[in-house]
CSV table of all heavy atoms in Angstrom, one decimal:
chain,number,residue,atom,x,y,z
U,1,MET,N,-3.2,-19.6,-5.1
U,1,MET,CA,-2.9,-18.6,-4.0
U,1,MET,C,-1.5,-18.1,-4.1
U,1,MET,O,-1.3,-16.9,-4.0
U,1,MET,CB,-3.2,-19.3,-2.7
U,1,MET,CG,-4.6,-19.4,-2.4
U,1,MET,SD,-5.5,-17.9,-2.2
U,1,MET,CE,-4.7,-17.2,-0.7
U,2,SER,N,-0.6,-18.9,-4.4
U,2,SER,CA,0.8,-18.5,-4.4
U,2,SER,C,1.1,-17.5,-5.5
U,2,SER,O,1.8,-16.6,-5.4
U,2,SER,CB,1.8,-19.7,-4.5
U,2,SER,OG,1.5,-20.4,-5.7
U,3,GLU,N,0.4,-17.7,-6.7
U,3,GLU,CA,0.6,-16.8,-7.8
U,3,GLU,C,0.0,-15.5,-7.5
U,3,GLU,O,0.5,-14.4,-7.8
U,3,GLU,CB,-0.1,-17.4,-9.0
U,3,GLU,CG,0.6,-18.6,-9.6
U,3,GLU,CD,0.0,-19.1,-10.9
U,3,GLU,OE1,-0.8,-18.4,-11.4
U,3,GLU,OE2,0.4,-20.2,-11.3
U,4,ILE,N,-1.2,-15.5,-6.8
U,4,ILE,CA,-1.8,-14.2,-6.5
U,4,ILE,C,-0.9,-13.4,-5.6
U,4,ILE,O,-0.7,-12.2,-5.7
U,4,ILE,CB,-3.1,-14.4,-5.8
U,4,ILE,CG1,-4.1,-15.1,-6.8
U,4,ILE,CG2,-3.7,-13.1,-5.2
U,4,ILE,CD1,-5.4,-15.6,-6.1
U,5,LYS,N,-0.3,-14.1,-4.6
U,5,LYS,CA,0.5,-13.4,-3.6
U,5,LYS,C,1.8,-12.9,-4.3
U,5,LYS,O,2.2,-11.8,-4.0
U,5,LYS,CB,0.9,-14.4,-2.5
U,5,LYS,CG,1.6,-13.8,-1.3
U,5,LYS,CD,1.7,-14.8,-0.2
U,5,LYS,CE,2.3,-14.2,1.1
U,5,LYS,NZ,3.7,-13.8,0.9
U,6,LEU,N,2.3,-13.6,-5.2
U,6,LEU,CA,3.5,-13.2,-6.0
U,6,LEU,C,3.2,-11.9,-6.7
U,6,LEU,O,4.0,-11.0,-6.7
U,6,LEU,CB,4.0,-14.3,-6.9
U,6,LEU,CG,5.2,-14.0,-7.7
U,6,LEU,CD1,6.4,-13.8,-6.8
U,6,LEU,CD2,5.5,-15.1,-8.7
U,7,VAL,N,2.1,-11.9,-7.4
U,7,VAL,CA,1.7,-10.7,-8.2
U,7,VAL,C,1.6,-9.5,-7.3
U,7,VAL,O,2.1,-8.4,-7.6
U,7,VAL,CB,0.4,-11.0,-9.0
U,7,VAL,CG1,-0.2,-9.7,-9.5
U,7,VAL,CG2,0.6,-12.0,-10.1
U,8,LEU,N,0.9,-9.7,-6.2
U,8,LEU,CA,0.7,-8.6,-5.3
U,8,LEU,C,2.0,-8.1,-4.7
U,8,LEU,O,2.3,-6.9,-4.6
U,8,LEU,CB,-0.2,-9.0,-4.2
U,8,LEU,CG,-1.7,-9.1,-4.6
U,8,LEU,CD1,-2.5,-9.8,-3.6
U,8,LEU,CD2,-2.3,-7.7,-4.9
U,9,GLU,N,2.9,-9.0,-4.4
U,9,GLU,CA,4.2,-8.6,-3.8
U,9,GLU,C,5.0,-7.8,-4.9
U,9,GLU,O,5.7,-6.8,-4.5
U,9,GLU,CB,5.0,-9.8,-3.4
U,9,GLU,CG,4.4,-10.4,-2.1
U,9,GLU,CD,5.1,-11.7,-1.7
U,9,GLU,OE1,5.8,-12.3,-2.5
U,9,GLU,OE2,4.9,-12.1,-0.5
U,10,GLN,N,4.9,-8.3,-6.1
U,10,GLN,CA,5.6,-7.5,-7.2
U,10,GLN,C,5.0,-6.1,-7.3
U,10,GLN,O,5.8,-5.2,-7.5
U,10,GLN,CB,5.5,-8.3,-8.5
U,10,GLN,CG,6.3,-9.6,-8.5
U,10,GLN,CD,6.1,-10.4,-9.7
U,10,GLN,OE1,5.1,-10.2,-10.4
U,10,GLN,NE2,7.0,-11.3,-10.0
U,11,ALA,N,3.7,-6.0,-7.3
U,11,ALA,CA,3.1,-4.7,-7.4
U,11,ALA,C,3.4,-3.8,-6.3
U,11,ALA,O,3.7,-2.6,-6.5
U,11,ALA,CB,1.6,-4.9,-7.5
U,12,ILE,N,3.4,-4.3,-5.1
U,12,ILE,CA,3.8,-3.5,-3.9
U,12,ILE,C,5.3,-3.1,-4.0
U,12,ILE,O,5.6,-1.9,-3.8
U,12,ILE,CB,3.5,-4.3,-2.6
U,12,ILE,CG1,2.0,-4.5,-2.4
U,12,ILE,CG2,4.2,-3.6,-1.4
U,12,ILE,CD1,1.7,-5.5,-1.4
U,13,ALA,N,6.1,-4.0,-4.5
U,13,ALA,CA,7.5,-3.7,-4.6
U,13,ALA,C,7.7,-2.6,-5.7
U,13,ALA,O,8.6,-1.8,-5.6
U,13,ALA,CB,8.3,-4.9,-5.0
U,14,GLN,N,6.8,-2.5,-6.6
U,14,GLN,CA,6.9,-1.5,-7.7
U,14,GLN,C,6.3,-0.2,-7.4
U,14,GLN,O,6.2,0.7,-8.2
U,14,GLN,CB,6.3,-2.1,-9.0
U,14,GLN,CG,7.1,-3.2,-9.6
U,14,GLN,CD,6.4,-4.0,-10.7
U,14,GLN,OE1,5.3,-3.6,-11.0
U,14,GLN,NE2,7.0,-5.1,-11.1
U,15,GLY,N,5.8,-0.1,-6.2
U,15,GLY,CA,5.3,1.2,-5.7
U,15,GLY,C,3.8,1.2,-5.4
U,15,GLY,O,3.2,2.2,-5.3
U,16,GLY,N,3.2,0.0,-5.3
U,16,GLY,CA,1.8,-0.1,-4.9
U,16,GLY,C,0.9,0.0,-6.1
U,16,GLY,O,1.3,-0.1,-7.2
U,17,THR,N,-0.4,0.1,-5.8
U,17,THR,CA,-1.4,0.0,-6.8
U,17,THR,C,-2.1,1.3,-6.9
U,17,THR,O,-3.0,1.7,-6.2
U,17,THR,CB,-2.4,-1.1,-6.4
U,17,THR,OG1,-3.0,-0.7,-5.1
U,17,THR,CG2,-1.8,-2.4,-6.3
U,18,THR,N,-1.7,2.1,-7.9
U,18,THR,CA,-2.4,3.3,-8.3
U,18,THR,C,-3.3,3.1,-9.5
U,18,THR,O,-3.1,2.1,-10.2
U,18,THR,CB,-1.4,4.4,-8.5
U,18,THR,OG1,-0.5,4.0,-9.5
U,18,THR,CG2,-0.6,4.7,-7.3
U,19,LEU,N,-4.2,3.9,-9.7
U,19,LEU,CA,-5.2,3.7,-10.8
U,19,LEU,C,-4.5,3.5,-12.2
U,19,LEU,O,-5.0,2.8,-13.0
U,19,LEU,CB,-6.1,4.9,-10.9
U,19,LEU,CG,-7.2,4.9,-9.9
U,19,LEU,CD1,-8.0,6.2,-9.9
U,19,LEU,CD2,-8.2,3.7,-10.2
U,20,LYS,N,-3.4,4.2,-12.4
U,20,LYS,CA,-2.7,4.1,-13.7
U,20,LYS,C,-2.2,2.7,-14.0
U,20,LYS,O,-1.9,2.4,-15.1
U,20,LYS,CB,-1.6,5.1,-13.9
U,20,LYS,CG,-0.5,5.0,-12.9
U,20,LYS,CD,0.5,6.1,-13.1
U,20,LYS,CE,1.6,6.1,-12.0
U,20,LYS,NZ,2.3,4.8,-11.9
U,21,ASP,N,-2.1,1.9,-12.9
U,21,ASP,CA,-1.5,0.6,-13.1
U,21,ASP,C,-2.6,-0.5,-13.4
U,21,ASP,O,-2.3,-1.6,-13.6
U,21,ASP,CB,-0.8,0.1,-11.8
U,21,ASP,CG,0.4,1.0,-11.5
U,21,ASP,OD1,1.0,1.4,-12.4
U,21,ASP,OD2,0.6,1.3,-10.3
U,22,PHE,N,-3.8,0.0,-13.4
U,22,PHE,CA,-4.9,-1.0,-13.5
U,22,PHE,C,-5.1,-1.6,-14.9
U,22,PHE,O,-5.8,-2.6,-15.1
U,22,PHE,CB,-6.2,-0.4,-13.1
U,22,PHE,CG,-6.3,-0.2,-11.5
U,22,PHE,CD1,-5.2,-0.4,-10.7
U,22,PHE,CD2,-7.6,0.0,-10.9
U,22,PHE,CE1,-5.3,-0.2,-9.4
U,22,PHE,CE2,-7.6,0.1,-9.6
U,22,PHE,CZ,-6.5,0.0,-8.8
U,23,SER,N,-4.5,-0.9,-15.9
U,23,SER,CA,-4.6,-1.5,-17.2
U,23,SER,C,-3.2,-1.9,-17.7
U,23,SER,O,-2.2,-1.3,-17.4
U,23,SER,CB,-5.1,-0.4,-18.2
U,23,SER,OG,-6.5,-0.1,-17.9
U,24,GLN,N,-3.2,-3.0,-18.4
U,24,GLN,CA,-1.9,-3.5,-18.9
U,24,GLN,C,-1.7,-2.8,-20.3
U,24,GLN,O,-2.5,-2.1,-20.8
U,24,GLN,CB,-2.0,-5.0,-19.2
U,24,GLN,CG,-2.2,-5.7,-17.8
U,24,GLN,CD,-2.5,-7.2,-18.0
U,24,GLN,OE1,-3.0,-7.6,-19.0
U,24,GLN,NE2,-2.1,-8.0,-17.0
U,25,THR,N,-0.5,-3.0,-20.8
U,25,THR,CA,-0.1,-2.2,-22.0
U,25,THR,C,-0.9,-2.6,-23.2
U,25,THR,O,-1.0,-1.8,-24.1
U,25,THR,CB,1.4,-2.5,-22.3
U,25,THR,OG1,1.7,-3.9,-22.3
U,25,THR,CG2,2.3,-1.9,-21.2
U,26,ASP,N,-1.5,-3.8,-23.2
U,26,ASP,CA,-2.3,-4.2,-24.3
U,26,ASP,C,-3.7,-3.6,-24.2
U,26,ASP,O,-4.6,-3.9,-25.1
U,26,ASP,CB,-2.4,-5.7,-24.5
U,26,ASP,CG,-3.0,-6.4,-23.2
U,26,ASP,OD1,-3.4,-5.6,-22.3
U,26,ASP,OD2,-3.0,-7.6,-23.2
U,27,GLY,N,-4.0,-2.9,-23.2
U,27,GLY,CA,-5.3,-2.2,-23.0
U,27,GLY,C,-6.3,-3.1,-22.3
U,27,GLY,O,-7.4,-2.6,-22.0
U,28,LYS,N,-6.1,-4.3,-22.2
U,28,LYS,CA,-7.0,-5.2,-21.4
U,28,LYS,C,-6.9,-4.9,-19.9
U,28,LYS,O,-5.8,-4.7,-19.4
U,28,LYS,CB,-6.7,-6.6,-21.7
U,28,LYS,CG,-7.0,-7.0,-23.2
U,28,LYS,CD,-6.6,-8.5,-23.4
U,28,LYS,CE,-6.8,-8.8,-24.9
U,28,LYS,NZ,-6.4,-10.2,-25.1
U,29,PRO,N,-8.0,-5.0,-19.2
U,29,PRO,CA,-7.9,-4.8,-17.7
U,29,PRO,C,-7.0,-5.9,-17.1
U,29,PRO,O,-7.1,-7.1,-17.5
U,29,PRO,CB,-9.3,-4.9,-17.3
U,29,PRO,CG,-10.0,-5.7,-18.3
U,29,PRO,CD,-9.3,-5.3,-19.6
U,30,GLY,N,-6.1,-5.5,-16.2
U,30,GLY,CA,-5.2,-6.5,-15.6
U,30,GLY,C,-5.8,-6.9,-14.3
U,30,GLY,O,-7.0,-6.8,-14.0
U,31,TYR,N,-4.9,-7.5,-13.5
U,31,TYR,CA,-5.3,-8.0,-12.2
U,31,TYR,C,-6.0,-7.0,-11.3
U,31,TYR,O,-7.0,-7.3,-10.7
U,31,TYR,CB,-4.1,-8.6,-11.5
U,31,TYR,CG,-4.5,-9.0,-10.1
U,31,TYR,CD1,-5.1,-10.2,-9.8
U,31,TYR,CD2,-4.2,-8.2,-9.0
U,31,TYR,CE1,-5.4,-10.6,-8.6
U,31,TYR,CE2,-4.6,-8.5,-7.7
U,31,TYR,CZ,-5.2,-9.7,-7.5
U,31,TYR,OH,-5.5,-10.1,-6.2
U,32,PHE,N,-5.5,-5.8,-11.3
U,32,PHE,CA,-6.0,-4.8,-10.4
U,32,PHE,C,-7.3,-4.2,-10.8
U,32,PHE,O,-8.1,-3.8,-10.0
U,32,PHE,CB,-5.0,-3.7,-10.2
U,32,PHE,CG,-3.7,-4.2,-9.6
U,32,PHE,CD1,-2.5,-4.3,-10.4
U,32,PHE,CD2,-3.7,-4.6,-8.3
U,32,PHE,CE1,-1.4,-4.8,-9.8
U,32,PHE,CE2,-2.5,-5.2,-7.8
U,32,PHE,CZ,-1.4,-5.3,-8.5
U,33,ALA,N,-7.6,-4.3,-12.1
U,33,ALA,CA,-9.0,-3.9,-12.5
U,33,ALA,C,-10.0,-4.9,-11.9
U,33,ALA,O,-11.1,-4.6,-11.5
U,33,ALA,CB,-9.0,-3.9,-14.0
U,34,GLN,N,-9.5,-6.2,-11.9
U,34,GLN,CA,-10.4,-7.2,-11.3
U,34,GLN,C,-10.5,-7.0,-9.8
U,34,GLN,O,-11.6,-7.2,-9.3
U,34,GLN,CB,-9.9,-8.6,-11.6
U,34,GLN,CG,-10.8,-9.6,-11.1
U,34,GLN,CD,-10.3,-11.0,-11.3
U,34,GLN,OE1,-9.2,-11.2,-11.8
U,34,GLN,NE2,-11.1,-12.0,-11.0
U,35,GLU,N,-9.5,-6.6,-9.2
U,35,GLU,CA,-9.5,-6.4,-7.8
U,35,GLU,C,-10.5,-5.4,-7.4
U,35,GLU,O,-11.2,-5.4,-6.4
U,35,GLU,CB,-8.1,-6.0,-7.2
U,35,GLU,CG,-8.1,-5.9,-5.7
U,35,GLU,CD,-6.8,-5.6,-5.1
U,35,GLU,OE1,-5.8,-5.7,-5.9
U,35,GLU,OE2,-6.7,-5.3,-4.0
U,36,LEU,N,-10.7,-4.4,-8.3
U,36,LEU,CA,-11.7,-3.3,-8.0
U,36,LEU,C,-13.1,-3.9,-8.0
U,36,LEU,O,-14.0,-3.4,-7.3
U,36,LEU,CB,-11.6,-2.2,-9.1
U,36,LEU,CG,-10.4,-1.2,-9.0
U,36,LEU,CD1,-10.5,-0.3,-10.1
U,36,LEU,CD2,-10.5,-0.5,-7.7
U,37,GLN,N,-13.3,-4.9,-8.8
U,37,GLN,CA,-14.6,-5.6,-8.9
U,37,GLN,C,-15.0,-6.2,-7.6
U,37,GLN,O,-16.2,-6.4,-7.3
U,37,GLN,CB,-14.6,-6.6,-10.0
U,37,GLN,CG,-14.5,-6.1,-11.4
U,37,GLN,CD,-15.7,-5.5,-11.9
U,37,GLN,OE1,-16.8,-5.7,-11.4
U,37,GLN,NE2,-15.6,-4.6,-12.9
U,38,VAL,N,-14.0,-6.6,-6.8
U,38,VAL,CA,-14.2,-7.4,-5.6
U,38,VAL,C,-13.8,-6.7,-4.3
U,38,VAL,O,-14.1,-7.2,-3.2
U,38,VAL,CB,-13.5,-8.8,-5.6
U,38,VAL,CG1,-13.9,-9.6,-6.8
U,38,VAL,CG2,-12.0,-8.6,-5.7
U,39,TYR,N,-13.2,-5.5,-4.4
U,39,TYR,CA,-12.7,-4.8,-3.3
U,39,TYR,C,-13.7,-4.6,-2.2
U,39,TYR,O,-14.8,-4.0,-2.5
U,39,TYR,CB,-12.0,-3.5,-3.7
U,39,TYR,CG,-11.2,-2.9,-2.5
U,39,TYR,CD1,-9.9,-3.4,-2.3
U,39,TYR,CD2,-11.8,-2.0,-1.7
U,39,TYR,CE1,-9.2,-2.9,-1.2
U,39,TYR,CE2,-11.1,-1.4,-0.7
U,39,TYR,CZ,-9.8,-1.9,-0.4
U,39,TYR,OH,-9.1,-1.4,0.6
U,40,GLY,N,-13.4,-4.9,-1.0
U,40,GLY,CA,-14.3,-4.7,0.1
U,40,GLY,C,-15.6,-5.6,0.2
U,40,GLY,O,-16.5,-5.4,1.0
U,41,ARG,N,-15.6,-6.6,-0.7
U,41,ARG,CA,-16.8,-7.4,-0.8
U,41,ARG,C,-16.5,-8.9,-0.4
U,41,ARG,O,-17.2,-9.8,-0.9
U,41,ARG,CB,-17.3,-7.4,-2.3
U,41,ARG,CG,-17.6,-5.9,-2.7
U,41,ARG,CD,-18.1,-5.9,-4.1
U,41,ARG,NE,-19.4,-6.6,-4.2
U,41,ARG,CZ,-19.6,-7.7,-5.0
U,41,ARG,NH1,-18.6,-8.1,-5.7
U,41,ARG,NH2,-20.8,-8.2,-5.0
U,42,SER,N,-15.7,-9.0,0.6
U,42,SER,CA,-15.4,-10.4,1.1
U,42,SER,C,-16.6,-11.1,1.6
U,42,SER,O,-17.5,-10.5,2.3
U,42,SER,CB,-14.4,-10.3,2.3
U,42,SER,OG,-14.1,-11.5,2.9
U,43,GLY,N,-16.8,-12.3,1.1
U,43,GLY,CA,-18.0,-13.1,1.5
U,43,GLY,C,-19.2,-12.9,0.6
U,43,GLY,O,-20.1,-13.7,0.6
U,44,GLU,N,-19.1,-11.9,-0.3
U,44,GLU,CA,-20.2,-11.6,-1.2
U,44,GLU,C,-19.9,-12.3,-2.5
U,44,GLU,O,-18.8,-12.6,-2.9
U,44,GLU,CB,-20.4,-10.1,-1.4
U,44,GLU,CG,-20.8,-9.4,-0.1
U,44,GLU,CD,-20.9,-7.9,-0.4
U,44,GLU,OE1,-21.3,-7.5,-1.5
U,44,GLU,OE2,-20.6,-7.1,0.5
U,45,PRO,N,-20.9,-12.5,-3.3
U,45,PRO,CA,-20.7,-13.2,-4.6
U,45,PRO,C,-19.9,-12.3,-5.6
U,45,PRO,O,-20.2,-11.1,-5.7
U,45,PRO,CB,-22.1,-13.5,-5.1
U,45,PRO,CG,-23.0,-12.5,-4.4
U,45,PRO,CD,-22.4,-12.3,-3.1
U,46,CYS,N,-19.0,-12.9,-6.4
U,46,CYS,CA,-18.3,-12.2,-7.4
U,46,CYS,C,-19.3,-11.6,-8.5
U,46,CYS,O,-20.2,-12.3,-8.9
U,46,CYS,CB,-17.3,-13.1,-8.1
U,46,CYS,SG,-16.5,-12.4,-9.5
U,47,ARG,N,-19.0,-10.4,-8.9
U,47,ARG,CA,-19.9,-9.8,-9.9
U,47,ARG,C,-19.7,-10.5,-11.3
U,47,ARG,O,-20.6,-10.4,-12.1
U,47,ARG,CB,-19.6,-8.3,-10.1
U,47,ARG,CG,-20.1,-7.5,-8.9
U,47,ARG,CD,-19.6,-6.1,-9.0
U,47,ARG,NE,-20.2,-5.3,-7.9
U,47,ARG,CZ,-19.5,-4.3,-7.4
U,47,ARG,NH1,-18.4,-3.9,-7.8
U,47,ARG,NH2,-20.1,-3.6,-6.4
U,48,LEU,N,-18.6,-11.2,-11.4
U,48,LEU,CA,-18.3,-11.8,-12.7
U,48,LEU,C,-18.9,-13.2,-12.8
U,48,LEU,O,-19.4,-13.6,-13.8
U,48,LEU,CB,-16.8,-11.7,-13.0
U,48,LEU,CG,-16.2,-10.3,-13.1
U,48,LEU,CD1,-14.7,-10.4,-13.3
U,48,LEU,CD2,-16.9,-9.5,-14.2
U,49,CYS,N,-18.7,-14.0,-11.8
U,49,CYS,CA,-19.0,-15.4,-11.8
U,49,CYS,C,-19.9,-15.9,-10.7
U,49,CYS,O,-20.4,-17.0,-10.7
U,49,CYS,CB,-17.7,-16.2,-11.9
U,49,CYS,SG,-16.8,-16.2,-10.4
U,50,GLY,N,-20.1,-15.1,-9.6
U,50,GLY,CA,-20.9,-15.5,-8.5
U,50,GLY,C,-20.2,-16.3,-7.4
U,50,GLY,O,-20.8,-16.6,-6.4
U,51,ASN,N,-18.9,-16.6,-7.6
U,51,ASN,CA,-18.2,-17.3,-6.6
U,51,ASN,C,-18.0,-16.4,-5.4
U,51,ASN,O,-17.9,-15.1,-5.5
U,51,ASN,CB,-16.8,-17.7,-7.2
U,51,ASN,CG,-16.1,-18.7,-6.4
U,51,ASN,OD1,-16.8,-19.7,-6.0
U,51,ASN,ND2,-14.9,-18.5,-6.1
U,52,GLU,N,-17.8,-17.0,-4.2
U,52,GLU,CA,-17.6,-16.2,-3.0
U,52,GLU,C,-16.3,-15.5,-3.1
U,52,GLU,O,-15.2,-16.1,-3.4
U,52,GLU,CB,-17.7,-17.1,-1.8
U,52,GLU,CG,-17.5,-16.3,-0.5
U,52,GLU,CD,-17.6,-17.2,0.7
U,52,GLU,OE1,-18.3,-18.3,0.6
U,52,GLU,OE2,-17.1,-16.9,1.7
U,53,ILE,N,-16.3,-14.2,-2.7
U,53,ILE,CA,-15.0,-13.4,-2.7
U,53,ILE,C,-14.3,-13.7,-1.4
U,53,ILE,O,-14.8,-13.7,-0.4
U,53,ILE,CB,-15.4,-11.9,-2.9
U,53,ILE,CG1,-15.9,-11.7,-4.3
U,53,ILE,CG2,-14.2,-11.0,-2.6
U,53,ILE,CD1,-16.6,-10.4,-4.5
U,54,LYS,N,-13.0,-13.8,-1.6
U,54,LYS,CA,-12.1,-14.1,-0.5
U,54,LYS,C,-11.3,-12.9,-0.1
U,54,LYS,O,-11.1,-12.0,-0.9
U,54,LYS,CB,-11.1,-15.2,-0.8
U,54,LYS,CG,-11.8,-16.5,-1.3
U,54,LYS,CD,-12.6,-17.1,-0.2
U,54,LYS,CE,-13.0,-18.6,-0.5
U,54,LYS,NZ,-13.3,-18.9,-1.8
U,55,GLU,N,-10.8,-12.9,1.2
U,55,GLU,CA,-10.1,-11.7,1.6
U,55,GLU,C,-8.7,-12.3,2.1
U,55,GLU,O,-8.6,-13.3,2.8
U,55,GLU,CB,-10.8,-11.0,2.8
U,55,GLU,CG,-10.0,-9.8,3.3
U,55,GLU,CD,-10.8,-9.0,4.3
U,55,GLU,OE1,-12.0,-9.4,4.6
U,55,GLU,OE2,-10.3,-8.1,4.9
U,56,MET,N,-7.7,-11.5,1.8
U,56,MET,CA,-6.3,-11.9,2.3
U,56,MET,C,-5.6,-10.7,2.6
U,56,MET,O,-5.6,-9.6,1.9
U,56,MET,CB,-5.6,-12.6,1.1
U,56,MET,CG,-4.2,-13.0,1.4
U,56,MET,SD,-3.6,-14.2,0.1
U,56,MET,CE,-3.8,-13.1,-1.3
U,57,LYS,N,-4.9,-10.7,3.8
U,57,LYS,CA,-4.1,-9.6,4.2
U,57,LYS,C,-2.6,-9.8,3.8
U,57,LYS,O,-2.0,-10.8,4.2
U,57,LYS,CB,-4.2,-9.3,5.7
U,57,LYS,CG,-3.6,-8.0,6.1
U,57,LYS,CD,-4.1,-7.7,7.5
U,57,LYS,CE,-3.7,-6.2,7.9
U,57,LYS,NZ,-4.3,-5.8,9.2
U,58,ILE,N,-2.1,-8.8,3.1
U,58,ILE,CA,-0.7,-8.9,2.7
U,58,ILE,C,-0.1,-7.6,3.2
U,58,ILE,O,-0.4,-6.5,2.8
U,58,ILE,CB,-0.5,-9.0,1.2
U,58,ILE,CG1,-1.2,-10.3,0.7
U,58,ILE,CG2,1.0,-8.9,0.8
U,58,ILE,CD1,-1.1,-10.4,-0.8
U,59,GLY,N,0.8,-7.7,4.2
U,59,GLY,CA,1.4,-6.5,4.8
U,59,GLY,C,0.4,-5.7,5.5
U,59,GLY,O,-0.4,-6.2,6.3
U,60,GLN,N,0.3,-4.5,5.1
U,60,GLN,CA,-0.7,-3.6,5.8
U,60,GLN,C,-2.0,-3.5,4.9
U,60,GLN,O,-2.8,-2.7,5.2
U,60,GLN,CB,-0.1,-2.2,5.9
U,60,GLN,CG,1.2,-2.2,6.8
U,60,GLN,CD,0.8,-2.6,8.2
U,60,GLN,OE1,-0.1,-2.2,8.8
U,60,GLN,NE2,1.7,-3.5,8.7
U,61,ARG,N,-2.1,-4.3,3.9
U,61,ARG,CA,-3.1,-4.1,2.9
U,61,ARG,C,-4.0,-5.3,2.8
U,61,ARG,O,-3.6,-6.5,2.7
U,61,ARG,CB,-2.4,-3.9,1.6
U,61,ARG,CG,-3.3,-3.4,0.5
U,61,ARG,CD,-2.5,-2.9,-0.6
U,61,ARG,NE,-3.3,-2.6,-1.8
U,61,ARG,CZ,-3.5,-3.5,-2.8
U,61,ARG,NH1,-2.8,-4.6,-2.8
U,61,ARG,NH2,-4.2,-3.2,-3.8
U,62,ASN,N,-5.3,-5.1,2.9
U,62,ASN,CA,-6.3,-6.2,2.7
U,62,ASN,C,-6.6,-6.3,1.2
U,62,ASN,O,-6.8,-5.3,0.5
U,62,ASN,CB,-7.6,-5.9,3.4
U,62,ASN,CG,-7.4,-6.1,4.9
U,62,ASN,OD1,-6.7,-7.0,5.4
U,62,ASN,ND2,-8.1,-5.2,5.7
U,63,THR,N,-6.5,-7.5,0.7
U,63,THR,CA,-6.7,-7.8,-0.7
U,63,THR,C,-7.9,-8.7,-0.8
U,63,THR,O,-8.1,-9.7,-0.1
U,63,THR,CB,-5.5,-8.4,-1.3
U,63,THR,OG1,-4.4,-7.5,-1.2
U,63,THR,CG2,-5.7,-8.8,-2.7
U,64,PHE,N,-8.7,-8.4,-1.8
U,64,PHE,CA,-9.9,-9.2,-2.1
U,64,PHE,C,-9.8,-9.8,-3.5
U,64,PHE,O,-9.4,-9.2,-4.4
U,64,PHE,CB,-11.2,-8.3,-2.0
U,64,PHE,CG,-11.3,-7.6,-0.7
U,64,PHE,CD1,-10.6,-6.4,-0.4
U,64,PHE,CD2,-12.0,-8.1,0.4
U,64,PHE,CE1,-10.7,-5.8,0.8
U,64,PHE,CE2,-12.1,-7.5,1.6
U,64,PHE,CZ,-11.5,-6.3,1.8
U,65,PHE,N,-10.2,-11.0,-3.6
U,65,PHE,CA,-10.1,-11.7,-4.8
U,65,PHE,C,-11.2,-12.8,-5.0
U,65,PHE,O,-11.7,-13.3,-4.0
U,65,PHE,CB,-8.7,-12.3,-5.0
U,65,PHE,CG,-8.4,-13.3,-4.0
U,65,PHE,CD1,-8.5,-14.7,-4.3
U,65,PHE,CD2,-7.9,-13.0,-2.8
U,65,PHE,CE1,-8.2,-15.6,-3.4
U,65,PHE,CE2,-7.6,-13.9,-1.8
U,65,PHE,CZ,-7.7,-15.3,-2.1
U,66,CYS,N,-11.4,-13.2,-6.2
U,66,CYS,CA,-12.3,-14.3,-6.5
U,66,CYS,C,-11.5,-15.5,-7.0
U,66,CYS,O,-10.7,-15.4,-7.9
U,66,CYS,CB,-13.3,-13.9,-7.6
U,66,CYS,SG,-14.2,-15.3,-8.3
U,67,ASP,N,-11.6,-16.6,-6.3
U,67,ASP,CA,-10.8,-17.8,-6.7
U,67,ASP,C,-11.1,-18.2,-8.1
U,67,ASP,O,-10.2,-18.6,-8.8
U,67,ASP,CB,-11.2,-19.0,-5.8
U,67,ASP,CG,-10.6,-19.0,-4.4
U,67,ASP,OD1,-9.6,-18.3,-4.3
U,67,ASP,OD2,-11.1,-19.6,-3.5
U,68,ALA,N,-12.3,-18.2,-8.5
U,68,ALA,CA,-12.7,-18.7,-9.8
U,68,ALA,C,-12.2,-17.8,-11.0
U,68,ALA,O,-11.9,-18.3,-12.0
U,68,ALA,CB,-14.2,-18.8,-9.9
U,69,CYS,N,-12.1,-16.5,-10.8
U,69,CYS,CA,-11.7,-15.6,-11.8
U,69,CYS,C,-10.2,-15.5,-11.9
U,69,CYS,O,-9.6,-15.1,-13.0
U,69,CYS,CB,-12.3,-14.2,-11.7
U,69,CYS,SG,-14.1,-14.2,-11.9
U,70,GLN,N,-9.5,-15.8,-10.9
U,70,GLN,CA,-8.0,-15.8,-10.9
U,70,GLN,C,-7.5,-17.0,-11.6
U,70,GLN,O,-7.9,-18.1,-11.4
U,70,GLN,CB,-7.5,-15.7,-9.5
U,70,GLN,CG,-7.9,-14.6,-8.7
U,70,GLN,CD,-7.4,-13.2,-9.2
U,70,GLN,OE1,-6.5,-13.2,-10.0
U,70,GLN,NE2,-8.0,-12.2,-8.7
U,71,SER,N,-6.5,-16.8,-12.4
U,71,SER,CA,-5.8,-17.9,-13.1
U,71,SER,C,-4.5,-18.1,-12.5
U,71,SER,O,-4.0,-17.3,-11.8
U,71,SER,CB,-5.7,-17.6,-14.6
U,71,SER,OG,-4.9,-16.4,-14.8
A,101,ZN,ZN1,-15.4,-14.4,-10.0
């Protein structure tokens, strides 16, 4: 949880999450690409692994994530 919060705080500090930020420089989908998979789906099964999607509010922003897929 603390790592997820840290990543999000860093992203917000860097200007928020716009679509161009969803891919990392190596071309692999980054954290925010995964967030798109779970956005707005709190309590529903993750599309990737079936784990229940969690919701967390950070500042003015609701964030959705899967415990199992996050490292
Ligand atoms: Zn998952």
